[in-house]
Amino acid sequence: MRVSFNWLQEYVEFDFTPSELAEKLTMAGFEVEHIEDRRTWAAGVVVGRVLECAPHPQADRLRVCRVDIGTGRLLNIVCGAPNARAGIYAPVAPVGTYLPIKDLKLRAASIRGVPSEGMLCSLEELGLEKTSEGIHIFPEASLPLGLDVGPLLGLDDAILEVASTANRADALSMVGIAREVAALTGGILRLPLVDAPLVPRGDLAARITEPEACPVYTATLLEEAAVGPAPDWLRERLEKAGMRSINNVVDVTNYVLLEWGQPLHAFDADRLAAGTLGVRFAHKGEQLLTLDGTDRSLTAANLLITAGERPVALAGVMGGEATEVNAQTRRIVLEAAIFDPPTIRRSARVFALRTEASARYERGVDASALEHALGRALQLLADCAGARAVAQASDDYRRRENRVVSLRPERLGQILGEDIPDAEIAQVLKNLGFDVQPGPQEFAVIVPGHRLRDIEREIDLIEEVARVVGYDRFPPTLPPPADGGYLPFEDFIERQVRSLCQGAGLTEVVTYSLAPDRDQQPVALSNPLSTELNSLRTNLIDGLLETLRFNRSQGNMPFHAFEVGVVFLRSDEGIFESGRLGAVLCGEPAVGDWQKITPPFDWFAAKGVLAAILQPWQIEVEYQADRRDERLHPGRTASLWVSGERLGTLGQLHPRLASRLDLPEQTFVFEIDLDFLIDLVRERPVEFRSFSPFPPAARDLSFYAREGITVFEFERLIREQGAPLLESVVLLDEFKGQGVPAGCRSLAFRMVYRSDHTLTEEEITAVHQRVRQALAERYSVDLRS
């Protein structure tokens, strides 16, 4: 909003310069974006009288003027203005004057052989008009010569361009800014309050059918109006605020809008042709020709002002052309209303029509000030247009809200870091227009109508006190020294997982979290990017296989890669995320081994990669045959279990899927539940064990066992029976074929025993025999050694 410095001083007393006031407002939350100091536009320009005006001897369009500026010496000025003549009073810029609008400094010059000692100025050269046909001629019959022209032309003022936040609708008015300045400077506030005249109802009627959208609507009929140019002072103030003058009636409504922030609208009463003004929503397809000459097609979301049933204005945005006030208007209906902000915002956006009225209604107009604004408008219409109010009708559904907010001085001190005296707190709030009632522990603060939209809680009042007393008053308080940074446990383990995967020869990849709908319980998207990516992924394996296929087509083999990411699963309780570690292994890990001693990469090699990743945490994983995943080979897939809970899956790609994807059959994948793994590591921290100084004792054990019993089951039983002396057990050999009973296989294990002393043969034999007996009893193995 453009705020006139001189106009503001009529409402509040202060001794600041424009720059100082701008600093105060900015620090209080009202940023002053620019200061237009008009006092500099005509600095040095004075009133002069043209005594003689003769044609230039060398140029037909130039005149040579003898000008008196009261110094006792006449100036010789060459002028090209067609309206220059003897006897007029005009603004004169002597030699040495700087005109900032034209970036021109006057110097003595010779124009076509005639000396010139200054310039007779037009309003264009003084910044008051975009273009001028000639010099400015003062209308007064006599003026003191040498007088500064600034006050005569309104150039003794400064304009502050003030930006306000969306929650401060009251700041879009001179009264609102004056309240703020009074609170910031301690100046005396003088509001332009007028006692509204008592007007009879007469034949005028107002009816609201949408009280939520329009809580109050007042219409006042005025007669004997003489529509014409507005007074100079009124036109000057509107021009400084960035508005153009229309006529005295419209200018008064705009003036009150700037002064009180209350939009008003004037209708030509004879063109309304109806005694009842109404407020309703439009019917779809209704038409309204607005003041800008645009015929607008309305929708049911647009609020209208109607005369009878005929639309005459787009409520809160713009009036209709059919009822516009013009030079022939003698009877006026003046509208003053409060409209619902979202309703007005919707209409303004639909038609891309932002007006001064809609800008204020969108933020919220102070309903408690409507009568003050209306009374002020009636007074000005009487003074400027001779209009007399003869009838008034109103329909009022306003809720008289009396909001009381408690403020604890102790809490204010805690928030701001410094205790402020109770008396100062109360005075600041009173200066802002709040009614403060002190109590033993807290203030009861009554919120005025112009602040109802943004003051709701105690913290809002604390902010008001802080910004008025100044944030620079509160010393900085630094937080206590922070401890050294650290990673959360989950992030730390995730980094370890990545490092271990890279150490095992895997390359990290990142795949899309969007996937085609392939799962039995897909997590479908309501707005998919495409039909191919219409769901959230439920596993990492699909994305890794697609990445493998692409890299194989590019010749990037062998391909051993992993991904750490989340999958999205559906349960009875809804959709949840789960962290996963997935990997794909394809191709020999060693390339170009001239000795040809690298064993073929098979299921056991893939298992070894996974074991290497889990080894640092000493997690004992049980492998169980698994056929549930149709993508994996039914005889070469195992589910991974720890303490009876599923950790993940390891398997070879199913031949059919490998053929369809054009991948080698010797492609292996695994996917483990990363969240479960992190919980395991948290619950079972790795313990450091030093090397034993005592020698180990190794024993081998061979037996025939029925097929179908996993090696892990044998290992688990051996560990149970061999404790506490058993240090490790590993499978040495597996054989099936000649010499082995049908349906069986030959297994050989090596067991290492160790203790905190040198073991005797008797101790080892006792434990070893217990292991043998347990295997024979539980699994009916045929012991060979």
Side-chain angles (χ1 to χ4, degrees), residues 349-398:
R349 288 185 178 180
V350 164
F351 296 116
L353 191 62
R354 185 173 177 83
T355 62
E356 293 289 342
S358 70
R360 286 159 176 80
Y361 277 128
E362 286 178 12
R363 296 190 180 194
V365 172
D366 178 12
S368 65
L370 184 140
E371 284 73 21
H372 296 311
L374 179 57
R376 179 72 160 149
L378 295 179
Q379 176 204 43
L380 291 173
L381 286 172
D383 294 344
C384 299
R388 180 173 58 88
V390 298
Q392 189 175 81
S394 180
D395 203 5
D396 195 343
Y397 295 90
R398 280 177 290 185

Side-chain angles (χ1 to χ4, degrees), residues 604 607 622-623 703 708-719 729-734 745 747-749 779:
F604 296 102
K607 178 183 175 184
E622 179 179 352
Y623 293 79
F703 54 83
I709 304 174
T710 64
V711 169
F712 184 84
E713 292 178 82
F714 292 124
E715 289 180 347
R716 181 169 55 187
L717 181 59
I718 292 171
R719 288 192 180 94
V729 55
V730 295
L731 178 67
L732 291 178
D733 181 57
E734 178 199 33
R745 57 178 175 167
L747 298 175
F749 292 89
Y779 297 116

Side-chain angles (χ1 to χ4, degrees), residues 283-307:
H283 306 306
K284 186 176 182 180
E286 276 189 294
Q287 299 291 124
L288 175 64
L289 182 63
T290 49
L291 286 171
D292 59 355
T294 303
D295 196 6
R296 304 187 184 276
S297 181
L298 307 174
T299 69
N302 304 133
L303 192 67
L304 294 179
I305 309 301
T306 60

Side-chain angles (χ1 to χ4, degrees), residues 42-48 90-92 126 138 146-156:
V45 181
V46 298
V47 174
V92 180
L126 298 178
F138 290 109
L147 181 68
D148 182 10
V149 301
L152 297 176
L153 297 176
L155 293 177
D156 57 343

